[in-house]
Amino acid sequence: MRLTIEASLRRIVDLLRDEVGPEVQTPFLAQSVRMAGGLLTICANWVDDAAAIRVEENAAIRKVLAEASVSLDGDLSARLRAASLSSDPGLRISQLDAENHRLRMLLVEAHGVAERGEGASPQVLDAAIWRLLEEIELKRAQREQAHPYGQ
Amino acid sequence: MSDLAMSDLAMSGFAARIAAYLTHRMPKAEGLAVDELARIYGGSSQETYRLRARWREHGEAVEKRLILRRDAPAGLVVAERDLEFNVYRALAGQGVPIPEAHFLELDPVWLDRPFFIMDLCTGRPGDPFASPDPYDGHDEAIARQFWTHLGTLAAIDHRAVGLAGLRNGEAEGGFWSRELGRWEGILNEGEAVIEPIVRGAIRWLRGNPPPEPAKPAVVHGDYRSGNFLFTPDGRLSAILDWEMCHIGDPLEDAAWAIDPFWPITRHLPLEDGLSAWEAASGLSADREALDWWRLFAAVKACAIWTTAEAAVQSGESHEMIVALSGIRAGHFHRKQILALLRERGAIA
């Protein structure tokens, strides 16, 4: 059995909660230790599918950009089409995030144009973009607790 | 060594430096000593310490419980270092409960970074995140005072109390546009990966502006559960954390206070709160305008979480609360934006 990054992070959370926390006397530091445990838990929850979620999201954005390129005209249409045909530059999280930012910027631009009622069937495009954004938010949602500072 | 990990020995040295400073500022104080120095959890924009200072003056023993607020290397917002101190000074005696502020020091020679010293007020903060009853059974009474004090703040003539120097202090209107532009600029600067949901909300806000407020008001900027103290007998004893204070539409604070992240409406229905606000301010709360500011509050929150992420990523901040805010709270407010835009029919 191989020790994964996720399991390692969870064992550190256990250590902070069960061994380190009870030994810390200063209230400020004790609270910081608890929050550090929370932060590591979130990191553990993110680590396994970090690349997959970004690859899938970039593909989903490219699909909507392709639809938008048909709906819109001119230079923007050409840039959207080029982006829709692009591929991720690598599988490092930093590379995927940079590409994600680039694609999202184009999505924001297309969304603004659709909201102004420009191009063919702008309402359809507007609805498609909002649907995509809601799906992205749901997929990226953290899974472990309802409130960020909840106990 | 970071301040987070300040040892007992380092704390003792820090206390001695504070004592030296107080002695410098109070030349009549003899034998001044500082003890019971402890950092207070929760100050995410500035470091906050409580302490006891004791000295002799004119032959009498004097003892004071004080708070020291020092600039953090980085925090949730970039605070102007003298802003909070100046606000405490200007609002003294205006009917809003605040601590008495004593000394502002901008020279880093004393404690490495700028700081100010004020009275430790009676009472304790309720933690809106940790407990369904953060105010020990006094929640309704506390919430009424919360709204009344906000109304009192809205009624103050900011120029008359010397706060024309605050952001927007000379403006007569257009506060919504100025503030929206400010937070959009902070997003532009701090976002490593742009959030199209937040940008969609900004476009909607710009396309559907609210009416101008009846008057410009002192806006606390972070008026919410968790940023005030209350006493065991149910009195709201001090409103704290004024580092985002500016001049604007008073409904900005009202909308921030009811944001579902820390809603005061858990303790008193919104209409009851607004009635208390209207009675104290003498103003009418435009419910439609408040709706605009509710969406604005969610955008502003996203911008603040972005600065938190950036501060931790760059290593400027080592605060766990800043890191946790940055990584988690953005999702909460993007969901809130989606819900509010759907309410407004912006999302089909």
Side-chain angles (χ1 to χ4, degrees), chain A residues 35 42 115 134 137 149, chain B residues 41 203 325 328 331 342:
Chain A
M35 289 207 161
I42 293 165
E115 280 176 357
E134 287 185 305
E137 201 56 46
Y149 302 141
Chain B
Y41 165 77
R203 288 194 305 275
S325 299
R328 293 299 315 271
H331 169 67
R342 199 171 283 288

Side-chain angles (χ1 to χ4, degrees), chain B residues 136-164:
Chain B
D136 297 348
H138 297 294
D139 56 342
E140 187 179 326
I142 293 289
R144 281 191 193 282
Q145 294 168 71
F146 175 92
W147 283 106
T148 297
H149 292 314
L150 187 59
T152 302
L153 182 67
I156 291 171
D157 178 343
H158 70 277
R159 292 188 179 94
V161 297
L163 289 177

Side-chain angles (χ1 to χ4, degrees), chain B:
Chain B
M1 180 188 293
S2 81
D3 291 315
L4 195 63
M6 204 186 269
S7 65
D8 288 347
L9 188 62
M11 264 313 210
S12 163
F14 195 50
R17 294 172 74 189
I18 296 169
Y21 175 75
L22 288 172
T23 301
H24 162 72
R25 292 302 300 259
M26 300 189 294
K28 289 179 184 165
E30 297 170 10
L32 192 147
V34 166
D35 60 8
E36 298 184 12
L37 175 66
R39 186 159 176 194
I40 297 175
Y41 165 77
S44 46
S45 301
Q46 296 189 57
E47 294 170 2
T48 307
Y49 299 85
R50 71 168 73 217
L51 60 103
R52 180 175 70 167
R54 290 182 294 172
W55 67 92
R56 294 190 71 79
E57 195 167 327
H58 306 304
E60 299 283 323
V62 183
E63 178 179 316
K64 274 222 170 230
R65 304 272 172 177
L66 298 168
I67 290 288
L68 186 148
R69 298 260 283 167
R70 181 168 71 154
D71 274 17
L76 289 179
V77 292
V78 180
E80 294 168 50
R81 40 195 56 167
D82 58 348
L83 186 153
E84 190 174 22
F85 180 85
N86 291 337
V87 169
Y88 281 132
R89 279 293 179 92
L91 294 183
Q94 297 296 321
V96 178
I98 49 171
E100 183 180 349
H102 297 293
F103 306 119
L104 169 70
E105 185 54 62
L106 300 178
D107 188 341
V109 71
W110 294 100
L111 297 178
D112 306 323
R113 295 192 289 278
F115 62 93
F116 69 90
I117 292 173
M118 62 185 184
D119 277 346
L120 172 68
C121 292
T122 55
R124 67 177 181 82
D127 185 346
F129 305 117
S131 164
D133 179 22
Y135 306 117
D136 297 348
H138 297 294
D139 56 342
E140 187 179 326
I142 293 289
R144 281 191 193 282
Q145 294 168 71
F146 175 92
W147 283 106
T148 297
H149 292 314
L150 187 59
T152 302
L153 182 67
I156 291 171
D157 178 343
H158 70 277
R159 292 188 179 94
V161 297
L163 289 177
L166 289 178
R167 186 171 78 247
N168 310 330
E170 300 293 350
E172 291 297 331
F175 299 110
W176 71 267
S177 177
R178 292 165 187 271
E179 288 303 301
L180 187 60
R182 167 184 160 77
W183 292 108
E184 186 180 30
I186 287 171
L187 282 166
N188 289 343
E189 203 173 303
E191 266 187 342
V193 176
I194 194 169
E195 291 293 351
I197 290 173
V198 183
R199 302 302 170 139
I202 291 172
R203 288 194 305 275
W204 189 92
L205 289 166
R206 205 158 264 143
N208 299 273
E212 291 291 337
K215 70 179 276 296
V218 179
V219 177
H220 178 285
D222 196 10
Y223 196 84
R224 61 171 174 82
S225 297
N227 275 346
F228 60 81
L229 305 179
F230 73 101
T231 58
D233 59 349
R235 182 173 59 87
L236 196 161
S237 54
I239 296 163
L240 307 171
D241 294 333
W242 293 76
E243 61 259 61
M244 290 201 283
C245 187
H246 59 279
I247 303 304
D249 189 322
L251 293 180
E252 181 184 337
D253 272 340
W256 192 249
I258 62 175
D259 184 275
F261 205 60
W262 40 61
I264 195 67
T265 42
R266 278 171 60 192
H267 313 296
L268 186 71
L270 176 60
E271 279 306 315
D272 291 358
L274 291 177
S275 295
W277 182 87
E278 288 175 330
S281 67
L283 303 170
S284 173
D286 182 326
R287 272 58 172 178
E288 279 187 34
L290 181 62
D291 262 356
W292 188 95
W293 286 103
R294 284 174 65 208
L295 182 58
F296 170 88
V299 169
K300 172 176 160 180
C302 287
I304 290 172
W305 310 140
T306 296
T307 66
E309 271 192 275
V312 178
Q313 175 67 22
S314 69
E316 286 178 273
S317 174
H318 294 83
E319 300 271 1
M320 289 299 104
I321 188 172
V322 176
L324 209 50
S325 299
I327 206 167
R328 293 299 315 271
H331 169 67
F332 181 96
H333 277 108
R334 286 192 298 277
K335 262 179 51 185
Q336 166 75 350
I337 286 173
L338 288 170
L340 291 173
L341 286 174
R342 199 171 283 288
E343 269 178 31
R344 287 153 180 75
I347 301 177

